[in-house]
Coordinates of all heavy atoms in Angstrom, one line a residue:
V996 N 46.2 300.8 -175.0 CA 45.4 300.4 -176.1 C 44.6 299.1 -175.9 O 44.2 298.4 -176.7 CB 46.2 300.3 -177.4 CG1 46.8 301.7 -177.8 CG2 47.3 299.3 -177.3
K997 N 44.7 298.6 -174.5 CA 44.2 297.3 -174.2 C 44.8 296.1 -175.1 O 44.1 295.3 -175.7 CB 42.6 297.3 -174.4 CG 41.9 298.3 -173.4 CD 40.5 298.3 -173.5 CE 39.9 299.3 -172.6 NZ 38.4 299.3 -172.7
G998 N 46.1 296.2 -175.1 CA 46.9 295.3 -176.0 C 47.4 294.1 -175.3 O 48.3 293.5 -175.9
V999 N 46.8 293.8 -174.2 CA 47.4 292.5 -173.5 C 46.2 291.7 -173.1 O 45.2 292.2 -172.5 CB 48.2 292.9 -172.3 CG1 48.7 291.7 -171.5 CG2 49.4 293.8 -172.7
R1000 N 46.3 290.3 -173.3 CA 45.2 289.5 -172.8 C 45.9 288.4 -171.8 O 46.8 287.7 -172.3 CB 44.6 288.7 -173.9 CG 43.8 289.6 -174.9 CD 42.6 290.3 -174.3 NE 41.9 291.1 -175.4 CZ 42.3 292.3 -175.8 NH1 43.2 293.0 -175.1 NH2 41.5 293.0 -176.8
L1001 N 45.4 288.3 -170.6 CA 46.0 287.4 -169.6 C 45.2 286.2 -169.4 O 43.9 286.2 -169.7 CB 46.3 288.1 -168.4 CG 47.1 289.4 -168.3 CD1 47.1 290.1 -167.0 CD2 48.5 289.0 -168.8
G1002 N 45.8 285.1 -168.9 CA 45.0 284.0 -168.5 C 44.2 283.2 -169.5 O 43.1 282.8 -169.4
I1003 N 44.8 283.1 -170.8 CA 44.0 282.5 -171.9 C 44.2 281.0 -171.5 O 45.2 280.4 -171.5 CB 44.7 282.9 -173.2 CG1 44.7 284.3 -173.4 CG2 44.2 282.0 -174.3 CD1 45.4 284.8 -174.5
K1004 N 43.0 280.3 -171.6 CA 42.9 278.9 -171.0 C 42.8 277.9 -172.2 O 42.9 276.8 -171.9 CB 41.7 278.9 -170.0 CG 41.8 279.7 -168.8 CD 40.7 279.5 -167.7 CE 39.4 279.9 -168.3 NZ 39.3 281.4 -168.5
N1005 N 42.4 278.3 -173.4 CA 42.1 277.2 -174.4 C 42.4 277.8 -175.8 O 42.5 279.1 -175.9 CB 40.8 276.7 -174.2 CG 39.7 277.6 -174.2 OD1 39.5 278.5 -174.9 ND2 38.8 277.6 -173.1
E1006 N 42.2 277.1 -176.8 CA 42.4 277.5 -178.2 C 41.3 278.5 -178.6 O 41.7 279.4 -179.3 CB 42.4 276.3 -179.1 CG 42.7 276.6 -180.5 CD 42.8 275.3 -181.4 OE1 43.1 274.3 -180.9 OE2 42.4 275.5 -182.6
D1007 N 40.0 278.3 -178.2 CA 39.1 279.3 -178.6 C 39.4 280.7 -178.1 O 39.3 281.7 -178.8 CB 37.7 278.8 -178.2 CG 37.2 277.8 -178.9 OD1 37.7 277.5 -180.0 OD2 36.2 277.0 -178.3
E1008 N 39.8 280.8 -176.8 CA 40.1 282.1 -176.2 C 41.4 282.7 -176.9 O 41.5 283.8 -177.0 CB 40.4 281.9 -174.8 CG 39.2 281.6 -173.9 CD 39.4 281.6 -172.4 OE1 40.6 281.9 -172.0 OE2 38.5 281.2 -171.6
L1009 N 42.3 281.8 -177.3 CA 43.5 282.3 -177.9 C 43.2 282.9 -179.3 O 43.7 283.9 -179.6 CB 44.6 281.1 -178.1 CG 45.8 281.4 -178.9 CD1 46.6 282.5 -178.1 CD2 46.6 280.2 -179.1
K1010 N 42.4 282.2 -180.1 CA 42.0 282.7 -181.4 C 41.3 284.1 -181.3 O 41.6 285.0 -182.0 CB 41.1 281.7 -182.1 CG 41.8 280.5 -182.6 CD 40.9 279.6 -183.3 CE 41.6 278.3 -183.9 NZ 40.7 277.4 -184.5
K1011 N 40.3 284.2 -180.3 CA 39.6 285.4 -180.1 C 40.6 286.6 -179.7 O 40.4 287.7 -180.2 CB 38.5 285.1 -179.1 CG 37.6 286.4 -178.8 CD 36.5 286.0 -177.8 CE 35.6 287.2 -177.6 NZ 36.2 288.3 -176.8
S1012 N 41.4 286.2 -178.7 CA 42.4 287.3 -178.3 C 43.3 287.8 -179.4 O 43.5 289.0 -179.6 CB 43.2 286.7 -177.1 OG 42.4 286.4 -176.1
A1013 N 43.8 286.8 -180.1 CA 44.8 287.1 -181.2 C 44.1 288.0 -182.3 O 44.6 289.0 -182.8 CB 45.3 285.8 -181.8
A1014 N 42.8 287.7 -182.7 CA 42.0 288.4 -183.6 C 41.8 289.8 -183.2 O 41.9 290.8 -183.9 CB 40.7 287.7 -184.0
E1015 N 41.5 290.0 -181.9 CA 41.2 291.3 -181.4 C 42.6 292.2 -181.4 O 42.6 293.3 -181.6 CB 40.7 291.3 -179.9 CG 39.3 290.7 -179.9 CD 38.9 290.4 -178.4 OE1 39.7 290.4 -177.5 OE2 37.7 290.2 -178.2
L1016 N 43.6 291.6 -181.0 CA 44.9 292.3 -180.9 C 45.4 292.6 -182.3 O 45.9 293.7 -182.6 CB 45.9 291.4 -180.1 CG 45.6 291.2 -178.7 CD1 46.7 290.2 -178.1 CD2 45.7 292.5 -177.9
L1017 N 45.2 291.7 -183.3 CA 45.7 292.0 -184.6 C 45.0 293.1 -185.3 O 45.4 293.6 -186.3 CB 45.8 290.7 -185.5 CG 46.8 289.6 -185.1 CD1 46.5 288.4 -185.7 CD2 48.2 290.1 -185.3
D1018 N 43.8 293.4 -184.8 CA 42.9 294.4 -185.3 C 43.2 295.8 -184.8 O 42.7 296.8 -185.3 CB 41.4 294.1 -185.0 CG 40.5 294.8 -185.9 OD1 40.8 294.8 -187.1 OD2 39.4 295.2 -185.3
L1019 N 44.2 295.9 -183.8 CA 44.5 297.2 -183.4 C 45.4 298.0 -184.3 O 46.1 297.4 -185.1 CB 45.2 297.0 -181.9 CG 44.5 296.4 -180.8 CD1 45.5 296.2 -179.7 CD2 43.4 297.4 -180.4
N1020 N 45.2 299.3 -184.2 CA 46.0 300.1 -185.2 C 47.4 300.0 -185.0 O 47.9 300.2 -183.8 CB 45.6 301.6 -185.0 CG 44.3 302.0 -185.8 OD1 43.9 301.3 -186.7 ND2 43.7 303.1 -185.4
G1021 N 48.2 299.7 -186.0 CA 49.7 299.6 -185.9 C 50.1 298.2 -185.5 O 51.4 297.9 -185.3
A1022 N 49.3 297.2 -185.3 CA 49.7 295.9 -184.9 C 50.5 295.2 -186.0 O 50.0 295.3 -187.2 CB 48.3 295.1 -184.6
E1023 N 51.7 294.7 -185.7 CA 52.4 294.0 -186.8 C 52.3 292.5 -186.5 O 52.9 291.7 -187.3 CB 53.9 294.4 -186.6 CG 54.1 295.9 -187.0 CD 55.5 296.4 -186.7 OE1 56.5 295.7 -187.1 OE2 55.6 297.4 -186.0

Side-chain angles (χ1 to χ4, degrees):
V996 299
K997 299 180 180 179
V999 179
R1000 303 290 187 275
L1001 301 172
I1003 297 170
K1004 299 185 292 294
N1005 53 53
E1006 185 175 329
D1007 288 341
E1008 289 185 7
L1009 177 60
K1010 288 180 176 177
K1011 181 175 183 294
S1012 297
E1015 291 171 348
L1016 295 173
L1017 290 170
D1018 200 39
L1019 294 174
N1020 278 340
E1023 297 174 46

